[in-house]
Amino acid sequence: MNTKLDWGEMMDLNIPSFLRNQGIKASYQRIRIYEYLMNNRTHPTVAEIYNALITDIPSLSKTTVYNTLNLFVEKELVEEVTIEGSEMRYDIKDPEGHGHFKCTQCHRIFDVPVQIEKIFTDELSEFHVQAQFVHFVGICPDCLKKNS
Amino acid sequence: MNTKLDWGEMMDLNIPSFLRNQGIKASYQRIRIYEYLMNNRTHPTVAEIYNALITDIPSLSKTTVYNTLNLFVEKELVEEVTIEGSEMRYDIKDPEGHGHFKCTQCHRIFDVPVQIEKIFTDELSEFHVQAQFVHFVGICPDCLKKNS
DNA sequence: TCTAATTTTGTATTCATTACAAGTTTATCA
DNA sequence: TGATAAACTTGTAATGAATACAAAATTAGA
């Protein structure tokens, strides 16, 4: 029997204990915000997260959403996505890392796998790289199909 | 004798005609802003550009800097760099493409060469990629030296 | 030169984000 | 359990980057 859980399975099981493992107190608001990010891999803005949760948590303040996301970013659970627009977007940070693709037609943002290690060049070896981000702009498969 | 000029040489020679080639009227303000971006590959903010030019062009308005940069971005002469902070940064767009490296210690942003074609994976072949951006966060060679 | 089109400029406005302080909840320990 | 401190949440006010807009200035074409 395989008792070893991978990252995804662990997340599904128990967000509160995951947060505590990361040194974050598992308040109701934080759990619900993290859960929302897990279930909505659409790179939501603060406003989108707030609007989605306000009916369930009537006391919720936008400031709490900001505070929580900034905490998650600081603790490296969540990544800021600044692919476009004036609003910051947020995405669960997975250990493997992935890139983002912004469709200029339907405006959706996709996660795309990226062979990040292949990016490195000789020149970069002089630097100590702690994090890397890749994003693309273009037209997604769905829109390409619609166009043809 | 070699009369073929590469991109860099062409730029040095004649910004006004370069702008006109790109379908942009070569006003004094636009020339000076483009020239500033050429000579200062430090990914400046609007405020930095404005402050650098205001003594030479006392009539200059921040709105003009915004307008001009948005025009340059639209015409694909200049690239928006959103590697950090709340202010947009701007960088001359070179045809080869390059990545950016943000030093967490000295806060400078470096241009780094990137083997962009190696990033592409099978999954991405379904997408029509029009532009790609890569950036890194870490510690630059200078700061690594200082630390040791 | 005259007129229309384009560009620049200054001011007012928008809106995402942060600052801050008060209120609420949670943890700790006697 | 109850008292006290610490941590978290909330609402309001403030900040500041970016845009909207209209008037003034400049440029282009006839």
Side-chain angles (χ1 to χ4, degrees), chain A residues 13-95:
Chain A
L13 278 173
N14 202 331
I15 291 173
S17 66
F18 170 73
L19 292 180
R20 277 189 290 268
N21 275 344
Q22 307 296 316
I24 293 173
K25 233 180 244 177
S27 76
Y28 182 60
Q29 289 85 341
R30 288 170 178 178
I31 294 166
R32 294 300 306 272
I33 291 170
Y34 193 86
E35 184 193 38
Y36 182 83
L37 287 171
M38 288 288 298
N39 295 338
N40 300 80
R41 299 296 298 271
T42 54
H43 318 88
T45 62
V46 165
E48 284 166 358
I49 298 168
Y50 174 82
N51 290 331
L53 296 178
I54 188 63
T55 43
D56 267 23
I57 318 172
S59 75
L60 186 66
S61 163
K62 246 178 198 168
T63 302
T64 298
V65 181
Y66 277 105
N67 288 342
T68 301
L69 290 170
N70 286 339
L71 177 70
F72 287 170
V73 169
E74 191 189 323
K75 298 285 188 179
E76 303 188 347
L77 273 60
V78 162
E79 195 176 285
E80 294 181 324
V81 181
T82 54
I83 198 166
E84 65 125 19
S86 55
E87 281 170 278
M88 186 68 78
R89 294 175 172 278
Y90 295 88
D91 190 16
I92 293 285
K93 192 167 180 172
D94 69 59

Side-chain angles (χ1 to χ4, degrees), chain B residues 49-128:
Chain B
I49 298 168
Y50 175 81
N51 290 331
L53 296 177
I54 188 64
T55 45
D56 266 25
I57 318 171
S59 75
L60 186 65
S61 163
K62 245 177 199 170
T63 301
T64 300
V65 181
Y66 278 106
N67 289 342
T68 301
L69 291 170
N70 286 339
L71 177 69
F72 287 172
V73 168
E74 191 189 324
K75 297 283 187 179
E76 301 187 351
L77 273 61
V78 163
E79 196 177 284
E80 295 182 323
V81 181
T82 54
I83 199 167
E84 65 125 19
S86 55
E87 281 170 277
M88 187 66 81
R89 294 173 173 279
Y90 295 88
D91 190 16
I92 293 285
K93 192 169 182 171
D94 69 57
E96 296 88 36
H98 64 265
H100 293 113
F101 183 99
K102 163 79 197 309
C103 180
T104 54
Q105 216 161 309
C106 66
H107 303 294
R108 282 184 295 175
I109 297 174
F110 299 79
D111 290 338
V112 292
V114 149
Q115 297 169 286
I116 203 78
E117 66 286 352
K118 294 213 177 156
I119 294 175
F120 293 93
T121 59
D122 287 349
E123 207 139 332
L124 251 177
S125 65
E126 306 283 312
F127 292 80
H128 175 226

Side-chain angles (χ1 to χ4, degrees), chain A residues 87-122:
Chain A
E87 281 170 278
M88 186 68 78
R89 294 175 172 278
Y90 295 88
D91 190 16
I92 293 285
K93 192 167 180 172
D94 69 59
E96 297 87 34
H98 62 266
H100 293 114
F101 184 99
K102 163 78 197 308
C103 180
T104 53
Q105 216 160 309
C106 65
H107 303 294
R108 281 183 297 174
I109 297 175
F110 298 79
D111 290 338
V112 291
V114 150
Q115 298 169 286
I116 200 78
E117 67 285 351
K118 295 212 177 157
I119 293 174
F120 292 93
T121 60
D122 287 349

